[in-house]
Amino acid sequence: MPLCGSEKLWPPRGSDSEAGSASSSVHSTSPPSQFSPLSTPPRSPTVRRRPLHPSLSAGHISVQSVRQRLAHLGRPRRPRRPPPRARLARPAVPAAAAGPHALAAVHLARNFHSAGARVVVCEVEGLFGLARFSAAVERFHRVPRPDAARPERYVQALCALAERERAALYVPVSAATPAHFDALAKPHLELLGCAVFCPSVREVALLDDALQALGLCAAAGLPTPAHHAVTSRDDLARLYASGAFRTGRHVLTSCRERLEVALPNQRGDLRLPHEPSAERPWVALHDAPGRHFLTCTTVKDAQVVANVTCRVEPGAGGLVPVEHAAVSAWLRTFFGKTRELRHVTGHVSFRFVEPAADVVLPLGVRVGVSMPCICYTSVHPRIVWRPCRHFSRQNSGPLVADAGRYWMHEAVLSTLRHPSVEAVSRLIGTVLDKREALFALWDPLPYLAYYHLQLPFRNVLALVQARNGLQYRTMAAPVH
């Protein structure tokens, strides 16, 4: 029987006709008619029933309401995916040089967010947290600054945060603080069920020590630049007297801290943050002329699973991703032939110089995420963390973005320092061909916070300190 808009399905509740029909249908032996309503058992007071449609409760139904209901039921319902467990990415960024490495932390959080992870960021106390402005970050926390005298405070804070957020993965950036403290927290976090993408304490000690890292390169049969160990002022005096620093560019790198000083031609012009000693040695490196490259290498069990190599542009400090066969071969040889690193897992950054064609020399090694990671796409988190069973590296798209990256303030300042038609043309070409390192259309707040809050404040502070006679290095585009 067709349903019409004015047809009654049953009488109103509580009427006499309802009671009569109900009693007749219960006590009668004849089968009920297809046009009469069937009686229903009494309602249980504990059963919750869905309220009827307004047209049904009034005893009428319309063709339009039926069509809407059928169309709603005909739509395929998308299954709800359970939210992934929290994945912890920690940008440890110093306020004095927060700009460069904060960009790497923000980009890392964006990539994990695009891969479907819930990103929780923790920052060292007293530092500018640029990642808190990102839409990719769900929660932002502070942890105490690690101290060599009491490292347990930092480890306990990380463990408490991982347990509170139910973190499944911890990816340390290790920019402001050495990776040694994250390596100390690694076994404690793993006991809580949180994987840590960082090398062990022993591996960090080998890689973060410039002198030991050069020794590993030599043991693997890789060429190294001319270098000299410096453990006292007498070593520096002897090197200056021998004329080792007379020609070329040389840098002095600390083996325990992340410090680097360009060696002047005259010994009297040298100023060091601390005196060299056997406990805190330095190493003098010859920076040969040539193109410089910086890598962000992702390693799993001594296998290079992802790598991005960027050419450092000397003008504006931009990064241009390139395919460098010599660098890739060097990385495979280094991790394949170094027995001390046969189980290393984490992010490692290398600096290279190319003095001749197909010849690269290492200038530095650092454990942690470096600036070339801003060239990674959202495929990178799926390689770092356990991908789903349907993930295929061959069909997942590019790992590295083709376009280079630049910093807007550095590009503009470079043009203003040397104003010319060529400089303006270069600036226009940079803006058109490359992407700004921090700007994203769906996440613009970190870009605004960096260029309108953090960068002006640091430049004003630098100007005030310069007037007071204090030496301060302003924030510039990073290379490491």
Side-chain angles (χ1 to χ4, degrees):
M1 182 180 67
L3 298 177
C4 301
S6 60
E7 184 182 8
K8 283 190 177 182
L9 293 182
W10 54 76
R13 295 184 181 274
S15 61
D16 297 337
S17 59
E18 179 183 3
S21 62
S23 59
S24 62
S25 61
V26 171
H27 300 286
S28 175
T29 59
S30 61
S33 173
Q34 58 177 342
F35 303 106
S36 61
L38 297 177
S39 62
T40 57
R43 295 185 178 181
S44 173
T46 59
V47 178
R48 298 183 60 185
R49 294 182 177 272
R50 187 176 180 179
L52 295 175
H53 193 272
S55 61
L56 297 180
S57 61
H60 295 78
I61 188 169
S62 63
V63 177
Q64 183 179 3
S65 63
V66 172
R67 288 177 179 174
Q68 291 178 356
R69 184 62 179 171
L70 292 177
H72 174 71
L73 294 177
R75 295 196 195 104
R77 298 187 64 181
R78 297 177 60 184
R80 283 184 130 187
R81 294 178 57 188
R85 299 180 69 185
R87 297 180 185 179
L88 200 61
R90 184 186 69 87
V93 186
H101 299 291
L103 306 187
V106 171
H107 190 80
L108 189 68
R110 287 173 176 174
N111 279 349
F112 272 92
H113 174 75
S114 300
R118 185 174 70 93
V119 182
V120 179
V121 174
C122 60
E123 179 67 278
V124 177
E125 291 178 351
L127 306 183
F128 185 80
L130 185 64
R132 76 172 73 183
F133 299 98
S134 176
V137 177
E138 181 172 319
R139 293 185 183 179
F140 183 85
H141 299 276
R142 293 282 185 180
V143 294
R145 183 185 295 271
D147 186 9
R150 297 185 59 189
E152 65 276 2
R153 295 179 62 250
Y154 179 75
V155 174
Q156 290 173 0
L158 284 182
C159 292
L161 182 59
E163 192 172 8
R164 185 190 318 153
E165 296 290 348
R166 294 184 302 164
L169 177 65
Y170 174 50
V171 184
V173 176
S174 301
T177 58
H180 170 74
F181 298 100
D182 296 314
L184 287 177
K186 180 177 181 177
H188 302 277
L189 291 173
E190 289 178 345
L191 289 177
L192 298 176
C194 177
V196 180
F197 201 75
C198 175
S200 63
V201 176
R202 180 173 173 272
E203 295 164 346
V204 169
L206 290 174
L207 291 172
D208 269 354
D209 192 320
L211 197 57
Q212 294 195 40
L214 290 173
L216 294 177
C217 296
L222 297 169
T224 58
H227 58 279
H228 308 275
V230 178
T231 58
S232 64
R233 279 280 182 177
D234 297 336
D235 295 339
L236 281 175
R238 187 162 48 257
L239 290 173
Y240 268 105
S242 63
F245 307 144
R246 191 168 301 167
T247 58
R249 181 178 183 270
H250 295 79
V251 294
L252 199 63
T253 305
S254 177
C255 296
R256 298 290 185 268
E257 296 86 5
R258 291 177 178 175
L259 300 174
E260 187 174 287
V261 179
L263 287 173
N265 294 330
Q266 302 295 329
R267 180 190 168 191
D269 299 335
L270 178 61
R271 299 291 183 271
L272 294 179
H274 63 82
E275 293 293 327
S277 62
E279 292 77 16
R280 304 173 72 182
W282 295 72
V283 57
L285 290 168
H286 177 224
D287 188 359
R291 297 188 303 174
H292 288 74
F293 298 91
L294 183 62
T295 75
C296 182
T297 309
T298 307
V299 185
K300 276 189 174 182
D301 293 328
Q303 298 291 327
V304 179
V305 295
N307 177 66
V308 53
T309 303
C310 291
R311 185 180 70 251
V312 181
E313 294 184 345
L319 298 175
V320 180
V322 295
E323 289 289 341
H324 203 294
V327 172
S328 301
W330 191 98
L331 293 174
R332 289 193 299 267
T333 304
F334 177 76
F335 288 106
K337 293 187 177 181
T338 306
R339 294 181 55 85
E340 293 83 356
L341 304 176
R342 58 182 177 271
H343 300 298
V344 63
T345 296
H347 290 107
V348 186
S349 172
F350 293 88
R351 283 187 302 160
F352 295 99
V353 61
E354 187 181 30
D358 297 332
V359 177
V360 291
L361 300 177
L363 294 179
V365 185
R366 184 177 69 83
V367 177
V369 181
S370 58
M371 282 309 301
C373 82
I374 64 177
C375 299
Y376 276 131
T377 63
S378 58
V379 179
H380 178 247
R382 294 176 172 88
I383 297 177
V384 171
W385 188 229
R386 294 178 303 210
C388 64
R389 59 181 179 179
H390 306 292
F391 175 76
S392 174
R393 177 63 191 90
Q394 290 75 17
N395 303 325
S396 58
L399 176 64
V400 179
D402 297 333
R405 299 294 188 267
Y406 73 96
W407 285 262
M408 179 61 72
H409 66 289
E410 287 294 331
V412 173
L413 289 177
S414 177
T415 305
L416 295 178
R417 291 191 191 102
H418 307 285
S420 63
V421 178
E422 182 182 359
V424 174
S425 302
R426 191 185 308 112
L427 175 63
I428 296 175
T430 299
V431 174
L432 294 179
D433 298 337
K434 300 179 183 179
R435 291 183 57 186
E436 215 284 330
L438 188 57
F439 179 76
L441 189 60
W442 62 275
D443 189 21
L445 285 184
Y447 176 86
L448 299 176
Y450 176 66
Y451 285 105
H452 296 279
L453 292 178
Q454 185 180 1
L455 191 62
F457 174 76
R458 300 309 305 175
N459 290 336
V460 170
L461 181 61
L463 179 62
V464 172
Q465 291 182 345
R467 287 186 176 181
N468 295 335
L470 299 176
Q471 185 179 5
Y472 180 78
R473 183 181 178 183
T474 58
M475 287 191 304
V479 296
H480 199 277

